[in-house]
Amino acid sequence: MHNINNNNQIPQNDTLVPGTSVSSGTNASVGAVMVVGGGIGGIQASLDLVEMGYRVYLVDSGPSIGGVMGQLDKTFPTNDCSMCILSPKLVEVGSSENIELFTLSDVVGVEGEEGDFTVELRVRPRFVDPEKCTGCGICTEQCRVKVKDPYDADLKRTPLIRVPFPQAVPGVAFIDPTRCLYLLKGKCGECKEVCLADAVDFEQKERTDTLRVGSIVMAPGYRPFDARIKAEYGYGVYDNVVTSLEFERILAANGPTGGHVLRRSDGGPVRKLAFIQCVGSRDTSVGNSYCSSVCCMYATKQSLIAREHQRDIEPSIFFIDMRSYGKGFEEYYRKASREQGVRYVRCLASYAKELRPSGNILIGYTDEDGNAVEEEFDLVVLSVGIEPDAAGLAGVLGVALGEHGFVATDEFLTVKTSRPGVYACGVVEGPKDIPDTVVQASASADMASAGLGAARGELIVHVEHPPEREVVGEEPRIGAVICRCGTNIGGVVDVPAVVEYARTLPNVVFADERLYACSQDTQEWIRDIVREHGLNRLMVASCTPRTHQPLFRDTMRSAGLNKYLFEMANIREHCSWVHMNLPDEATGKSKHLVKMAVGKAALLEPLQEGVSPVTPRALVIGGGGAGMTAALRLGDAGFTTYLVEKELELGGNMRHIFRTVEGGDVGAYLEELVGKVSSHGNIELFLDSTVDVVDGYVGKFHTTLSTPGGPVEVDHGVVVVATGGVEYEPKEGEYFFGRDERVITQAELERRIHQDPGSLAGVRDVVMIQCVGSRNDENPYCSKICCTVAVKNALALKRLNPDAGVHICYRDVRTYGFAEDRYLEARERGVGFIRFDEDEPPEVKHSFGDLLLKVADRNVRGEEVSLGCDLVVLSTGVAANPDAAELGPKLKVPLSADGFFLEAHVKLRPVDFATDGVFVAGLAHYPKTIGESLTQACAAAARAESVLCKENVVTEGVVAWVDEEVCSGCRQCVRLCSYEAIDFDEERGVAVVNSALCKGCGACTAACTSGANTLLGFKQDQIYAQIEAACNPL
Amino acid sequence: MSRKPENNNGKDEVKILAFLCNWCSYAGADLAGVSRLQYPPNVVDIRVMCSGTISPYHVLKAFQMGIDGVLIAGCHIGDCHYIKGNYMTYKRFQVIRDVLEFIGIGEDRLRLEWVSAAEGEKFAEVIREFTGQVEQAGASPLRTRWEENPANRERIRKAFKPLLP
Amino acid sequence: MINAVNSKLDAELEGRTGQKVRACYQCKKCSAGCPVAFAMDLLPHEVMKMISYGQRERLLASSTIWLCASCETCTTRCPNEIDIAGVMDGLRHIAIESGVEPSEREVGMMHRSFLGGIKLLGRTNEPFLIGGYKAMTGNLFDDMGLGAVMFFKRKIKILPRTVKNRRAVRRVFKRTRKMEV
Amino acid sequence: MTDLTFSYFPGCSQSGSAEEFGLSTEAVCRALGIELAELPDWNCCGASSAHMTDDLLSIALPGRNLAIAREEGKDMLTVCAMCYSRMKIAQARILGDEAVAREVEEVVGADPRFRGEVRHLLDVLVNDVAFPEIRKWLRLPLAGLRAVPYYGCLLVRPPEVCCCDSVENPTDLDRLLALLGVDVRPWSFKTDCCGGSLSLSRTDIVEKMVNKLLTRAEEAGANCVVTACPMCAANLEMRQKPGKLTFKVLHKLPVLYFTELLGLAMGLSGVEEWMKSHIIDPMPLMRETKLLSH
Ligand SMILES: Cc1cc2nc3c(=O)[nH]c(=O)nc-3n(C[C@H](O)[C@H](O)[C@H](O)COP(=O)(O)OP(=O)(O)OC[C@H]3O[C@@H](n4cnc5c(N)ncnc54)[C@H](O)[C@@H]3O)c2cc1C
Ligand SMILES: Cc1cc2nc3c(=O)[nH]c(=O)nc-3n(C[C@H](O)[C@H](O)[C@H](O)COP(=O)(O)OP(=O)(O)OC[C@H]3O[C@@H](n4cnc5c(N)ncnc54)[C@H](O)[C@@H]3O)c2cc1C
Ligand code: SF4
Ligand code: SF4
Ligand code: SF4
Ligand code: SF4
Ligand code: SF4
Ligand code: SF4
Ligand code: SF4
Ligand code: SF4
């Protein structure tokens, strides 16, 4: 079993299988990839590449990796703490032997071609020796020269010498040379004086490094729009107008106000809070016609978080269209507006003006009834858009930019740039959120490694941990670390008191607190205390083990201890966050949880991980665009792939789509795809077939397919689920659908446009109705693509007949990203847009044989509009494939409430399932465009490849174990195990657990009346110790 | 947790132990935390991989040690990460309930709930409700008895002996 | 109720003003910042929408086109770069050309007397302007107190300064004028 | 220093309702060495009425002035924001589109293609004369005046003819006033429309607009408003004491031209005469602040 957290570390006892690439890779290719930009995109790409067996040079122009995600407080739509989910990845990068980090570095030249590039890097001086610096921060206290802190969005001033932020990687100081007294005038040098590690080095010079890599991934992200340009909102003039990125820092517990939402002008409280949307986006007057895709959601998020911090805050969001189009977004928005006190005002505020003497900000808007309203706010947040910052890097790398200055990429595989061997992921390719960035990151890892198969593993260094120290027989010596988590825990729980208490507990020989237990420097520190105090167990009281246990376990290993000698107490999610107003009780409960964890820790034993061989073959279920792409990627990488399609024909929904919104020829692409798949030497195709029974586990699945020729059994190491989705079928009679042939769906319209334009010749007036079967109580989610599809088809109609009247009745136009350009084009070509309310949908009527549409246009105070029409087109959404309900349990993977497959982690593991070795792509995951589906398929292939490329999977040490001395031979457990992991040894009359099959559920242990069967890591005495500690008073 | 005999409402300050499965209920509790949903601080929890791992002994042990209420929470039936662990939980739960009744501990002190990873709100609500219910029932009679007379503690231990492994 | 018609009004206005009226996405920013919006019957963003619905009569008869103060606040802030004030001008011009009486009678009269003054004298003279305007509207006693103050403050010059070459100015009017002055 | 000779377009108001603006402009320019030669036989620019009712007229009326200016061969200077705006727009249309130019030429009977620059005095002071030069001439620091600068619409909009440093948040006038020792109050309503073009016809609406502006000015701590536009000044003065008691707040906030304050600070003669022409008498304020004694 694996923990749900993404554990990307290459296990030391694992060997890589060299690839047998069939694609363009030459024998001379280099087994290393350069990743430029260390935001979440670059980080994920790096980690994936390492897992796939390539060395990575990760280059960031700043002093630390982390990017914008490192500055965010929480992330939508799960409200996960951004730093909490990011920092394990930061630490992983920092501690990976196979990622070489170049910070304060820029790429200045590239030569060569795909497979073998020579890259020239300019590495700026840090003026601190990273090998010596401990990140202690003493120097920072000495430096008197302060500058604006970019990490805090310039809201706070910070000394020139500093560690960029607590969780920074590398977690060492640097000197901002711009105003350093020593570097400019030869004076001061205080920092050098006080540094005990003698790490400050003023003599460092800029240097140039030359590196050979096989391919390059660009992930340099973006810059936020400069809000000063929209001068009507007074940013930069009025203190109480801030940007969203600044507000993100204001919300952050480690930010300039410690997470308190305060006015900038006077530090006073904020009650009325306003957000103005689309600042610098969807705005041709500033040259940014595209939609920034994330700001509607982050404004909602920031509203919710602000209210979480202070209940009496009343947030208002001034917007044009609410673009909550992604997975879980619409539900998030609904909840925010209906239950969580966020007010949405559909009007773009015209100005923000400061009032005197209050410093309040006045916003003018028009309400739904047409009244001109002026309202005062304490603080106004401008939802600034995303702007590309790619020109320089793109120039050096020689890749083309698109119309808006983002990197131009292939329409179907959105990470492929104009230059072979160079790939792009994240916002540099177009505005997107974190999960979409992560998908592209994995996809670019897939593409970047494609040509390098032959060099796989060549440059990989195996992690050499110090040998595990033998602790059996030793008295437990427990170290207790209590985390403040900034103010997340420290703001509620009396941390020093908990530390004091921990010191009094039996076996605890050391206890102390840390500001961030997960930071890189703390890992260093833990290794130190383990050594200094001769610790043989560790207990960390911090956040949830579900995300952070792997990090600390790795630290245990690097400290020379078995990683299972570690226990966590969750005093954040289960304590400080849920008892925010009860500091005394929360402190008491923390002590209790610490006592329980310490009680268990004392009894922990070292466990051994098992290894199980990998069958280097893949099963892909679903032969639509996503499934075929995944199969091709895996086949190209040299892995035999079984592709199972239940229909007689490959292609899925792509068969019914003719053009992409950008005009790409879907049919031609599909034909090419089908051709390649059908003739691929590594792909075995099963048409008209389905999956019957799935047995086994990661690395070693055994599946029975039902095929026209009877059952076929296949062995494989991974599964990719690409079973797609279906068009929502309008209900009989919904808008006369099925009763009047002039009422059709968008798919049918598209077919007629391309296959039967004659049938549209007499059509003069067309009305489209959006959100049919989406965004209602029955199907609360937004189908994401139908707004763009409607715009696409409306434009096609206008092209066929410029005089045709085309009206689209919508609730919000959700043409996110560059599709906004097509929305603008549609308007300019005279397509009418009429906005209706959910409670007052359009009505289709018959009048003497004519079709009549009546709708209350909310844009003009709900006045009724009457349109005669020849054709009514229903924009029916995408519904989940009903097969999923059956397939999910077979694969032991969950579905969301909407019936789509539910990934392991909505933000950071968008193609993985919690069940190892099973991955998802395409419509099976959520509605998305073709480009997004195919890109996700590449990402799934990359993740699958990281399993297949290894000889073995490492199984967890948490498995059942039968004490043969005690076993009475009752066979209770044998019958009970759902995984058939227990055999009965008839000879000796005892039960024997097969640890490769055992999933570590512990069901058998509860059934064993003789107490012979125990789950390692959750042994009975350990649980009893916890129970006892829980029940006894402190 | 400080043990005040009485809280403001004149009800007993009770203590509850929750067994949470790693995949759903523990995650649901995490979500409650991430969503900052507030609930009473009377509960401490033990994380187990699957609710199916919880044996009647664990529950009895807790009551023997004077706990006022026990909550077992797992994935919804059908959603078990281990296929049918929670089904076994369900069956065992019936047994535990009967045993408890036999030794005079009412069923209002024991609860089984299915909480998914997405049900932070439900988790908080379950804790709120169950805490109320246990408060209504008051301190565990076992605890009160030994708090009256420490010697009772040994008697209780003996009485439980045949029930525990 | 709006009976949407495919009227080409949008194209006509686009031709006349050079403005892509149809680009409007109904953000309402123009209305939100319009200082006169509180007095208008159709808000500026509704004017844009009505144009696309082809509601010619309704637009030409609206108070909005006459109340618009031409402050251009809307124009400078429209994210689709539509010169809304220019569109208002365009609608007003169409109204005048089509002989639709301004729904805001006083505003129309004011323009007439103002331009009448220029046509006569070549320059604007307040007594002429106010006197002419009052004669037209019949609001003889409005502002009279203010008028007296202005007189004593030398704000109102009885003897107008005029352009010498008045014929040249009249020629301009003759060759351009559509609204009768 | 740059050439500071201009064809001066005074505009109708400067010889009528805004006589004090005209007088102070001439006095200040004379003192600073800006040579103004009045444009011969100029005519009214047509103001808002022309462009609101007739596109061609709105270009042709300024067009005639531009044609005259072309003959004169000097850059054109004006102080009225309305005249400035109409002239600039007409010039842009004429030079930008030959068809328009020809049409205007036809109407006016002269070549309107004036290729000199149309300038507003504020712009010339801030950018050509520049503050160091002005500072040399200052004699009396205007302490005690707490002013909000009011640019109105026409100095800044449309952006193509904006003569200030910013359309939404101009500071030229702020900085000039600060140079004179005026306490310039930060306020956000510098460029909000006062409704001047409706002043006569829809007094009711305009009273609301003016009243709102002045309330904001008072909140900002101002004891006077300073403008660079005779239309704004007239409207702000006339409508702040409403004929009918429609508003509870009766403002009495002097409205001054920036040229008047410049003249005062430079110690020019005639200042008291200018001040007499205001509907809202600024003299109590002048006395209170001891800037003028009578
Ligand atoms: C206010 C705000 C709130 C947001 N909230 C959310 C949210 O809640 N959920 C969500 O999913 N998304 C959110 N987003 C979007 C999110 O920030 C992005 O999706 C994500 O950060 C993109 O990651 P990236 O790796 O592409 O780029 P970045 O995070 O920008 O990282 C780029 C990295 O590259 C480095 N770099 C830049 N140029 C170069 C160069 N030339 N050479 C070398 N290195 C370079 C930078 O230093 C940086 O480290 C939010 C965005 C904003 C502005
Ligand atoms: C009505 C509609 C209109 C769309 N319009 C557009 C558009 O205009 N532009 C655009 O970019 N995108 C559009 N899309 C989205 C686009 O179709 C997908 O993103 C793309 O086709 C990738 O789909 P997929 O491979 O994930 O799934 P699908 O295309 O759904 O393919 C899934 C495949 O799996 C097979 N399958 C299903 N269940 C099983 C099973 N149990 N066993 C074996 N095989 C199984 C199916 O038969 C099918 O072949 C539209 C989608 C829909 C539903
Ligand atoms: S440079 Fe020295 S003083 Fe500064 S953080 Fe590093 S070790 Fe500490
Ligand atoms: S030498 Fe530079 S960085 Fe160091 S303390 Fe002085 S100013 Fe700061
Ligand atoms: S519509 Fe697009 S650009 Fe505007 S706020 Fe929403 S996501 Fe951002
Ligand atoms: S039409 Fe589709 S994409 Fe648009 S809002 Fe409705 S469900 Fe979302
Ligand atoms: S029942 Fe026992 S042997 Fe079977 S998977 Fe669970 S822990 Fe392993
Ligand atoms: S249940 Fe226990 S005693 Fe029975 S066979 Fe299994 S391990 Fe042995
Ligand atoms: S500001 Fe522009 S886009 Fe917005 S409603 Fe007005 S005209 Fe339309
Ligand atoms: S120009 Fe007219 S419509 Fe536009 S803001 Fe000014 S008054 Fe309103």
Side-chain angles (χ1 to χ4, degrees), chain A residues 960 976-979 981-982 993 997-1005 1013 1015:
Chain A
L976 207 143
C977 176
S978 311
Y979 300 95
I982 312 184
V993 176
L997 286 179
C998 172
K999 292 260 158 192
C1001 69
C1004 52
T1005 66
N1013 191 331
L1015 183 62

Side-chain angles (χ1 to χ4, degrees), chain C residues 51-63:
Chain C
I51 294 172
S52 78
Y53 282 137
Q55 302 297 294
R56 191 185 187 94
E57 262 75 277
R58 194 155 158 189
L59 285 162
L60 301 188
S62 72
S63 74

Side-chain angles (χ1 to χ4, degrees), chain A residues 770-771 774-775 782-787 812 814:
Chain A
Q770 299 303 102
C771 300
S774 301
R775 297 183 67 194
C782 162
S783 287
K784 188 173 178 182
I785 56 171
C786 19
C787 280
D812 292 272
R814 293 192 169 164

Side-chain angles (χ1 to χ4, degrees), chain A residues 4 544 574 577 580 976 1020, chain B residues 23 30 38 45 58 82 88:
Chain A
I4 74 133
T544 174
H574 293 195
W577 279 352
M580 291 169 96
L976 207 143
Q1020 298 301 336
Chain B
W23 303 100
D30 281 353
Q38 304 296 300
D45 53 6
H58 297 140
Y82 302 102
M88 294 173 228

Side-chain angles (χ1 to χ4, degrees), chain A residues 881-910:
Chain A
N881 180 351
D883 289 8
E886 199 190 317
L887 199 56
K890 281 186 194 165
L891 294 163
K892 304 185 196 89
V893 297
L895 305 182
S896 69
D898 310 324
F900 294 100
F901 283 96
L902 184 61
E903 63 273 36
H905 189 278
V906 176
K907 292 269 94 173
L908 292 185
R909 298 185 65 195

